[in-house]
Amino acid sequence: MHAVLRFIKKEPVLTASGLLAAASVFAVLPDGVSFDGINWQVLAILYCLMTVVAGLRKSGVFDALTCALTRLTCSTALLTALLTLLCFFISALITNDVALLTFVPFTIGLFGAGRRKQLIYALVLETIAANLGSLMTPMGNPQNLYLYAHYAMTGRAFFSVMLPLGGVCLLVTGILTLFAPRGQLDVRPGAPLPRIRPACFAVFCTLFAVCLLCVLKIVAWYVLLPVVCAAEIIYDRSVMKEADFSLLLTFVFFFVFVGNVSRIDAVRAAAERALSGREILVSALVSQVISNVPAAAMLSAFTDNAAALLWGTNIGGLGTPVASMASLITFRFYAAADAGGSRRYLAVFSALNFTLLAVFLAAAPLLLRLL
């Protein structure tokens, strides 16, 4: 029993999605269970991106990039701005969670718990930047990749919807960096950089390019998956274990749940009425409770407004720590490094995130109509 409770506490979203999938099976048993809703393309691309980016991290290129910043300055305010902007742009390529896994431990080690005020603000800004920057590309976060595939969007259609919002987010992120607390680090700007493994970087950079071709629908997913797996088995099979299998299984459960529930006429009609004209608000609010990835998978069955759902689930990554699972990565790292500062971290996180959530929710419908 204790093992079950520990698992539920560790994987609440996976547990909830599994229960919903099981409940949906019982709800449609007389008509037969449907597994047609499972999107194998999304699962294959997600798995490949996760493992390929893990390989890029092992190459040392991200460590070298972040350490190079200390050669530029020892100012905590300037470093906060640089790290935040790096998180914003890099998250659009390697996903928001991987960007935070890369930059957060480095930031904690660089600032140290002794500079709690500067460290907390830097980590909160990096988290916001990763969640906002990742919205600009289909592979920036899992919900984008799912919605991009679910609505069969072209690259042009996706970018025409998301890049204007990304521009606004970049402006907001830049303004927030101006308020970073000032301080000085006790490090030498000329500290040696970590070594980059050229062969590892070349292999996984090539595989990443193949993943991008698949996202752009130039290479089919059933070609991508065996190519990536074969290359990883030959070069470094350890990265195959680096995928977030709980996220992949969560997607499977939600695919089953949505596929079954959408066949119940009464439920479908009620959901469509609730969403109609309120896609941004509803998806953002639902994200606060179950996270924006499951919200995208669940709500996509009840609306054809891809643009509004993309905006709503991405804006919905702001707010509670649960709204974007990537936000929990930062909190866990910080809590492990400075447990006594967890309340202060959550206070700063909540103040900035809920303020931005309110601003974006108020402005989003007008901005979307201007596109």
Side-chain angles (χ1 to χ4, degrees):
M1 186 63 182
H2 290 295
V4 173
L5 291 176
R6 281 198 302 271
F7 178 83
I8 293 174
K9 184 178 180 180
K10 182 181 178 182
E11 300 286 356
V13 176
L14 175 61
T15 303
S17 64
L19 292 174
L20 287 173
S24 73
V25 168
F26 286 106
V28 297
L29 271 181
D31 299 321
V33 181
S34 172
F35 296 99
D36 296 338
I38 297 179
N39 193 320
W40 298 107
Q41 176 184 357
V42 169
L43 296 174
I45 297 175
L46 263 179
Y47 173 79
C48 290
L49 280 171
M50 290 173 181
T51 57
V52 168
V53 171
L56 286 172
R57 288 181 64 202
K58 291 184 70 174
S59 74
V61 64
F62 298 130
D63 290 335
L65 177 63
T66 51
C67 287
L69 296 178
T70 59
R71 291 192 169 192
L72 300 177
T73 180
C74 291
S75 165
T76 58
L78 185 53
L79 281 169
T80 295
L82 293 172
L83 287 167
T84 297
L85 293 175
L86 271 176
C87 271
F88 185 91
F89 288 109
I90 289 181
S91 65
L93 295 176
I94 64 173
T95 74
N96 51 355
D97 55 345
V98 175
L100 292 175
L101 284 170
T102 300
F103 288 101
V104 167
F106 173 79
T107 304
I108 292 174
L110 189 62
F111 281 58
R115 297 177 180 82
R116 181 182 286 175
K117 181 179 180 181
Q118 290 90 342
L119 176 60
I120 288 176
Y121 194 82
L123 294 180
V124 170
L125 250 61
E126 287 176 13
T127 306
I128 290 172
N131 285 328
L132 294 180
S134 64
L135 63 80
M136 294 193 298
T137 63
M139 64 279 189
N141 53 55
Q143 72 268 15
N144 276 9
L145 188 60
Y146 167 72
L147 294 173
Y148 176 77
H150 176 79
Y151 290 109
M153 300 180 75
T154 63
R156 181 177 180 179
F158 179 91
F159 290 119
S160 67
V161 168
M162 299 308 291
L163 286 184
L165 178 60
V168 175
C169 292
L170 177 59
L171 176 62
V172 171
T173 303
I175 292 172
L176 290 175
T177 63
L178 299 177
F179 299 94
R182 300 186 180 279
Q184 290 290 318
L185 298 180
D186 301 323
V187 295
R188 293 183 297 107
L193 299 178
R195 186 176 65 88
I196 297 176
R197 298 165 56 194
C200 181
F201 178 72
V203 168
F204 287 102
C205 199
T206 301
L207 292 178
F208 185 73
V210 179
C211 290
L212 292 185
L213 291 176
C214 186
V215 171
L216 296 174
K217 302 177 182 177
I218 298 173
V219 173
W221 70 267
Y222 48 80
V223 174
L224 170 72
L225 185 61
V227 166
V228 169
C229 289
E232 291 174 347
I233 289 172
I234 293 170
Y235 185 77
D236 185 357
R237 66 186 63 188
S238 67
V239 299
M240 302 180 77
K241 300 182 293 184
E242 297 295 319
D244 188 345
F245 291 102
S246 66
L247 176 61
L248 294 172
L249 188 55
T250 297
F251 261 114
V252 172
F253 285 149
F254 269 104
F255 288 150
V256 173
F257 169 74
V258 171
N260 288 327
V261 168
S262 61
R263 295 162 57 201
I264 304 173
D265 293 337
V267 173
R268 185 178 187 88
E272 288 175 348
R273 285 196 302 271
L275 271 175
S276 181
R278 295 181 290 272
E279 290 87 356
I280 294 177
L281 178 62
V282 171
S283 57
L285 294 180
V286 171
S287 298
Q288 302 307 302
V289 181
I290 67 171
S291 178
N292 51 6
V293 176
M298 184 170 66
L299 298 177
S300 60
F302 308 110
T303 178
D304 293 326
N305 195 337
L309 197 55
L310 274 166
W311 278 40
T313 52
N314 279 283
I315 291 170
L318 301 166
T320 67
V322 178
S324 171
M325 298 306 289
S327 299
L328 293 177
I329 292 174
T330 308
F331 178 69
R332 287 169 181 165
F333 272 119
Y334 182 77
D338 182 21
S342 295
R343 288 186 178 181
R344 184 170 180 177
Y345 174 88
L346 288 174
V348 175
F349 178 92
S350 299
L352 287 176
N353 270 267
F354 279 110
T355 299
L356 291 178
L357 177 63
V359 170
F360 277 112
L361 283 179
L366 175 61
L367 291 173
L368 194 57
R369 283 196 293 269
L370 293 176
L371 292 181

